[in-house]
Amino acid sequence: MFTYYFDLALRSFRRNKVLTALMVLAIALGIGASMTTLTVFHVLSGDPLPGKSHTVFYPQIEPRSMGGYVAGEEPSEQWTRFDAEALLRDAKGDRQAMMSGGAVAVEPQAEGLAPFYADARYTSADFFPMFELPFAHGKGWGAAEDDASARVAVISAPLNEKLFGGGDSVGKTIQLDQQTFQVIGVLDEWRPTPRFYDLTNTRYGEVEQVFLPFSTSRALELGTSGSMNCWDAAGDSANDGDNYSINAPCAWIQYWVELDTPEKVEAYRRYLVNYSDQQRAAGRFERPTSVRLHDVMGWLDENGAVPGDVRLQVWLAMGFLLVCLVNTVGLLLAKFLRRSTEIGVRRALGASRRAIFAQCLVEAGTIGLAGGVLGLGFALLGLWGVRQQPTGYAELAQLDAGMLLLTFVIAVVASLLAGMLPAWRACQITPAIQLKSQ
């Protein structure tokens, strides 16, 4: 029966080409606009650590002085080196990692390659298993390398390709800031979106090309990047003007901890409160205790990882789709009621109201399918336009398989919803009145 109704729909399209084209175009425009914005929102709001995001947490405490204190203010987003290293030593989580961004000068050994700068991540050993980084070759370093400030490095797949032509480069050496490092691991492709582990740098760019032990970065005084917040005694004799020293009153480090049960989460929260109280008693902390513990998705929400204009664009596109559907309802109503005589004859020959209703819905669904195909083209064009914009996430605006399927689902469901009222009106047509008029 569906095949028969589909054939009737195609015949109807050929008889009313202009009206059909208007309905297809209306749905296509709505689908194109909505799928463009939904795809961007989908890319930016996805889970960058699927399967583990609910067990990995970003803790916050308040180390700042009373200068500029505002009651109820959120605690510091980053950590001082003193506090981060203290928590790392205490190791109260299943895993924990401190980190900061940086940049290093790479001196290639291959002929024809000029020296260049590469983004670096200075971190501790648990970074790799906690965030489940995939390795093409080798592995990350361990606690012993952290303690020894070892000259070891993990490099990204693109850097491995550039320096060593791809393949297994474990055991080879690279020159970074005039220091020799041994490659112990090569990452496979890894690009969490957004870069949740450090939201102070670019949020949607490529991951770093070089990963080094944090202890090594400080022993060699390698350059850092990202934001730093210092207060009061910054630059005085307490830290000899070095804002990166262990005693500097500056927050510039990111800290993550893995806790795999709710009981461990609560225990860790109590530990943070006790630690803050101890530091206040020792005279380091001045502000009232303020502790936060966000999981990955909570931390992204807290920092507004999805730009507000993207959310607004989604709502505007949904509103535009609704307007297009209202127009489609009117066009379908005009189309079905214009065929009152045909429907009356079908009813007189024995067709039930349910059959007429089903026939009209199949026709509406077919229009939606055609609108989905054309809307997909509009969506691809819209995403191309997004990729031309000077935003950090522009290159990520790509339509994946899931969003491709969703395009047609929304198109068909929207057209079926738009066809409900016209189909109901059509099946209410009285056969006798239509036959008398002939």
Side-chain angles (χ1 to χ4, degrees), residues 20-333:
T20 300
L22 287 175
M23 289 186 289
V24 170
L25 182 61
I27 291 177
L29 288 173
I31 293 298
S34 60
M35 290 312 301
T36 297
T37 57
L38 280 176
T39 298
V40 174
F41 182 80
H42 169 71
V43 169
L44 301 187
S45 63
D47 187 346
L49 195 61
K52 285 196 68 176
S53 60
H54 64 290
T55 63
V56 176
F57 295 83
Y58 191 91
Q60 292 173 269
I61 59 175
E62 184 53 270
R64 292 174 290 183
S65 68
M66 289 300 292
Y69 171 67
V70 177
E73 183 181 20
E74 283 291 309
S76 174
E77 291 189 358
Q78 299 191 94
W79 288 72
T80 67
R81 182 179 171 186
F82 183 97
D83 296 318
E85 291 190 358
L87 264 66
L88 195 68
R89 285 193 304 270
D90 288 349
K92 295 296 185 180
D94 299 324
R95 295 188 179 101
Q96 42 274 311
M98 60 184 293
M99 66 195 75
S100 179
V104 290
V106 182
E107 302 170 37
Q109 300 173 7
E111 294 184 5
L113 279 180
F116 60 92
Y117 278 95
D119 291 334
R121 172 80 13 195
Y122 312 136
T123 185
S124 50
D126 282 350
F127 178 88
F128 302 101
M130 182 163 60
F131 296 145
E132 297 185 337
L133 272 68
F135 278 86
H137 307 287
K139 60 181 181 180
W141 60 84
E145 285 79 8
D146 279 334
D147 295 338
S149 299
R151 306 306 198 256
V152 294
V154 171
I155 63 176
S156 68
L159 184 61
N160 184 53
E161 179 69 31
K162 186 173 185 177
L163 294 180
F164 303 109
D168 189 353
S169 60
V170 172
K172 297 182 179 180
T173 61
I174 57 175
Q175 292 292 120
L176 305 174
D177 276 14
Q178 300 181 341
Q179 299 289 331
T180 301
F181 287 78
Q182 183 181 32
V183 176
I184 62 170
V186 178
L187 293 181
D188 207 340
E189 292 299 325
W190 184 64
R191 186 175 181 177
T193 303
R195 289 198 332 173
F196 66 97
Y197 56 86
D198 182 1
L199 298 178
T200 66
N201 283 287
T202 176
R203 297 185 174 189
Y204 300 101
E206 297 281 355
V207 300
E208 293 82 359
Q209 297 175 280
V210 180
F211 296 80
L212 305 174
F214 183 90
S215 57
T216 306
S217 75
R218 298 331 319 140
L220 299 177
E221 298 183 348
L222 300 179
T224 64
S225 63
S227 65
M228 173 183 284
N229 179 25
C230 298
W231 53 91
D232 291 357
D236 69 9
S237 58
N239 55 300
D240 296 324
D242 180 7
N243 293 337
Y244 298 98
S245 70
I246 188 69
N247 293 313
C250 298
W252 55 283
I253 294 170
Q254 301 84 50
Y255 194 91
W256 289 87
V257 60
E258 183 174 345
L259 306 163
D260 61 6
T261 67
E263 293 75 19
K264 291 181 180 179
V265 173
E266 288 307 310
Y268 199 85
R269 197 186 305 274
R270 290 193 297 271
Y271 161 70
L272 292 175
V273 172
N274 292 336
Y275 177 84
S276 296
D277 291 342
Q278 291 169 5
Q279 296 305 311
R280 183 174 299 100
R284 287 192 64 244
F285 289 2
E286 298 179 9
R287 297 189 181 188
T289 296
S290 181
V291 167
R292 302 288 188 275
L293 195 58
H294 297 284
D295 64 13
V296 171
M297 298 307 292
W299 183 238
L300 293 178
D301 289 340
E302 178 70 19
N303 285 271
V306 179
D309 59 339
V310 172
R311 296 181 184 273
L312 178 61
Q313 288 167 10
V314 171
W315 285 110
L316 290 176
M318 291 297 103
F320 181 66
L321 176 60
L322 181 61
V323 171
C324 292
L325 290 181
V326 170
N327 288 331
T328 303
V329 169
L331 293 172
L332 282 173
L333 193 59

